[in-house]
Amino acid sequence: MGQPVPQEGDSSIIVSLSEAAMHMYTAAIDALPFAEDRKFHKRADVVLSGMRKLRTALTDAASTSRPSPAVIVALSNVRRRYDALMEHAAAAPGSSLGQQLYVTRVHAKLSAHEVANGAGLDADLLDELEAGATPTDEDAAKIKEAIAALGGVPGTEHLQQPDTEPKEAVEAVEPQVNGWDEELVAEHAG
């Protein structure tokens, strides 16, 4: 038995439900703690999980025999917001390899299947990692190698310490207290 053919009103219902869900997800995203907060990832993961379900439902709706521009617009909006939250989570301390790989491959314009083939991984593993699964040590090494080969996790450049910074440059920095010259602070403290 084939799939039921959606009625013309189904698209508007799907889009309305999607918009309502995204309104709640947007509020939840806006209420997330700072990325350095230890509760950040736990809360972000809940939102990302719900958004994955919404993305899957809209993907299914967009692939029906009765296309609707409103459905693909809703799907695009969900994907963009999901990608933005994943990028934020991947750049946060304590991010998972799944988050890091997702953001790296999206930035590199590669599909999960393409990255899995190039890294010698099972294609289903990438979806599992995105959903929070923990890779084996062997798979983790392949994932880290793939991330490095693709240029690293976008948005984390500021976290990487350059190894080639000369000692003279570090020692030449004048001592400051919260942006103020230390001598000026000492002069007015006494």
Side-chain angles (χ1 to χ4, degrees):
M1 185 167 167
Q3 294 281 343
V5 177
Q7 302 299 313
E8 288 188 28
D10 287 352
S11 292
S12 65
I13 293 169
I14 291 167
V15 170
S16 294
L17 290 172
S18 169
E19 288 172 353
M22 279 308 298
H23 181 73
M24 291 186 298
Y25 290 132
T26 298
I29 291 167
D30 292 344
L32 286 172
F34 290 107
E36 295 78 19
D37 189 308
R38 59 177 229 239
K39 295 177 186 176
F40 171 79
H41 280 291
K42 184 176 181 178
R43 292 183 183 172
D45 288 346
V46 170
V47 175
L48 288 165
S49 175
M51 289 181 76
R52 274 191 295 277
K53 292 175 185 174
L54 179 59
R55 182 182 65 184
T56 299
L58 286 170
T59 300
D60 291 345
S63 63
T64 63
S65 60
R66 290 192 171 195
S68 167
V71 171
I72 60 171
V73 168
L75 176 57
S76 175
N77 290 336
V78 170
R79 284 182 177 165
R80 279 188 275 155
R81 191 64 196 236
Y82 180 85
D83 288 352
L85 180 55
M86 280 292 274
E87 189 171 322
H88 185 60
S95 63
S96 71
L97 274 178
Q99 292 167 334
Q100 294 173 24
L101 183 59
Y102 178 88
V103 171
T104 302
R105 79 167 178 80
V106 167
H107 184 75
K109 309 290 188 231
L110 296 170
S111 71
H113 187 73
E114 292 164 338
V115 171
N117 282 343
L121 297 165
D122 185 322
D124 294 332
L125 176 64
L126 273 61
D127 290 333
E128 293 169 12
L129 292 173
E130 179 186 340
T134 303
T136 65
D137 289 342
E138 181 181 337
D139 288 341
K142 290 178 182 179
I143 292 164
K144 289 176 183 177
E145 186 177 314
I147 290 170
L150 293 170
V153 180
T156 61
E157 297 83 9
H158 66 284
L159 299 175
Q160 298 169 2
Q161 298 289 328
D163 294 333
T164 60
E165 188 171 316
K167 280 189 173 184
E168 299 83 36
V170 174
E171 292 171 2
V173 174
E174 294 183 23
Q176 296 184 342
V177 178
N178 293 332
W180 291 85
D181 184 18
E182 192 172 315
E183 290 178 12
L184 182 64
V185 172
E187 183 178 304
H188 292 285

